[in-house]
Amino acid sequence: MIHNDDLNDQLGDDHIATSAETPLRSDAFEMSDEEKITSIRKDVENILNTLGLDLTDDSLKGTPNRVAKMFVKEIFGGLHPHKKPGSSTFENKYKYGEMLVEKNITVYSTCEHHLLPIVGRAHVAYISNGTVVGLSKMNRIVDYYAKRPQVQERLTIQIVQELQRVLNTDDVACVIDAKHLCVNSRGIRDIESSTVTAEFGGKFKEDKVRREFLDYIKLETTF
């Protein structure tokens, strides 16, 4: 007989997602950021005290507050819908009809199973159907969805779905290549492996278009 705790541990150790949507409660944003920081600070203090650390030490006394602020304001800031990047688009007046690729977008995220970093690169592309989006907006969308507890498959899907919504087209693709410290620094401790995920929409499901995109992201970028 498999107990729920054992099953949950297995799901987490195998890095299996249960939903394409970030699992948020309906009351997730009833507390203010400052209230969340106060609550999390107490929880971090309890963790460190339980581990036997001396929180009166000058190096450690500020750690609970730093961690709490980091969780709310930084690494999990993408949970809050108010921080979602604006979706301004522009008419494709120059009639550029080929795919646009933004490659090597830095990804800093956090594995939702062990709360350890995910670090890598995202490559995003779209084919305009009459509208375009600013280049930096693509980076901001990646960063917004990365700044939350994540699994890489979900992150890849969310980036594509958001750009499809913003651009009103299915012709969007994303590939992410990232290292997971929950694999690299614990468990199997394989420091060389990385994880690659992809989501292809619309024309990118066609072999020729998909291959063109993958060839673009192989190009060396040197200045």
Side-chain angles (χ1 to χ4, degrees):
M1 180 178 179
I2 299 177
H3 296 287
N4 285 339
D5 287 346
D6 294 333
L7 178 59
N8 290 336
D9 280 346
Q10 182 178 340
L11 287 171
D13 284 336
D14 289 341
H15 306 281
I16 295 172
T18 56
S19 171
E21 299 292 327
T22 301
L24 283 168
R25 297 197 320 271
S26 59
D27 63 348
F29 306 108
E30 290 182 1
M31 293 175 65
S32 69
D33 283 357
E34 292 308 313
E35 288 173 326
K36 290 181 177 180
I37 289 170
T38 298
S39 178
I40 292 171
R41 181 174 65 241
K42 294 175 183 176
D43 293 331
V44 176
E45 286 177 354
N46 184 53
I47 290 170
L48 297 180
N49 277 318
T50 301
L51 291 171
L53 293 170
D54 179 5
L55 295 186
T56 66
D57 184 90
D58 287 341
S59 181
L60 286 172
K61 65 174 58 175
T63 297
N65 194 58
R66 284 191 294 268
V67 171
K69 289 197 296 184
M70 176 184 69
F71 275 15
V72 175
K73 300 287 190 180
E74 297 180 70
I75 65 174
F76 298 144
L79 288 171
H80 205 300
H82 290 169
K83 296 183 180 180
K84 189 175 185 177
S87 56
S88 299
T89 56
F90 309 93
E91 182 182 351
N92 184 9
K93 291 183 177 180
Y94 31 85
K95 306 301 180 185
Y96 180 73
E98 301 299 320
M99 74 176 66
L100 185 147
V101 181
E102 184 81 355
K103 65 190 186 78
N104 294 327
I105 300 172
T106 301
V107 172
Y108 285 113
S109 192
T110 304
C111 167
E112 70 180 33
H113 301 120
H114 295 95
L115 299 185
L116 287 172
I118 300 171
V119 182
R121 301 284 184 180
H123 314 284
V124 182
Y126 72 90
I127 300 171
S128 173
N129 71 345
T131 57
V132 295
V133 67
L135 296 180
S136 65
K137 189 60 59 63
M138 298 168 74
N139 297 61
R140 294 182 191 279
I141 288 171
V142 171
D143 189 57
Y144 172 71
Y145 285 102
K147 284 184 174 176
R148 55 180 66 183
Q150 274 289 15
V151 291
Q152 190 171 319
E153 298 94 325
R154 181 195 297 136
L155 174 59
T156 311
I157 292 169
Q158 288 177 334
I159 292 166
V160 169
Q161 289 180 342
E162 178 63 12
L163 276 169
Q164 287 174 328
R165 185 191 67 80
V166 168
L167 292 161
N168 193 29
T169 179
D170 290 334
D171 303 333
V172 179
C174 178
V175 171
I176 297 177
D177 183 5
K179 284 183 173 287
H180 295 236
L181 266 69
C182 48
V183 173
N184 301 146
S185 68
R186 59 157 300 280
I188 191 64
R189 289 185 294 177
D190 182 350
I191 64 172
E192 297 299 331
S193 67
S194 68
T195 301
V196 179
T197 50
E199 178 75 3
F200 302 110
K203 293 179 181 177
F204 286 93
K205 292 184 180 293
E206 301 171 10
D207 185 64
K208 180 181 178 182
V209 179
R210 184 169 62 249
R211 287 182 180 274
E212 181 182 351
F213 168 52
L214 296 176
D215 284 342
Y216 276 132
I217 66 178
K218 292 177 185 175
L219 293 173
E220 292 285 341
T221 304
T222 55
F223 296 97

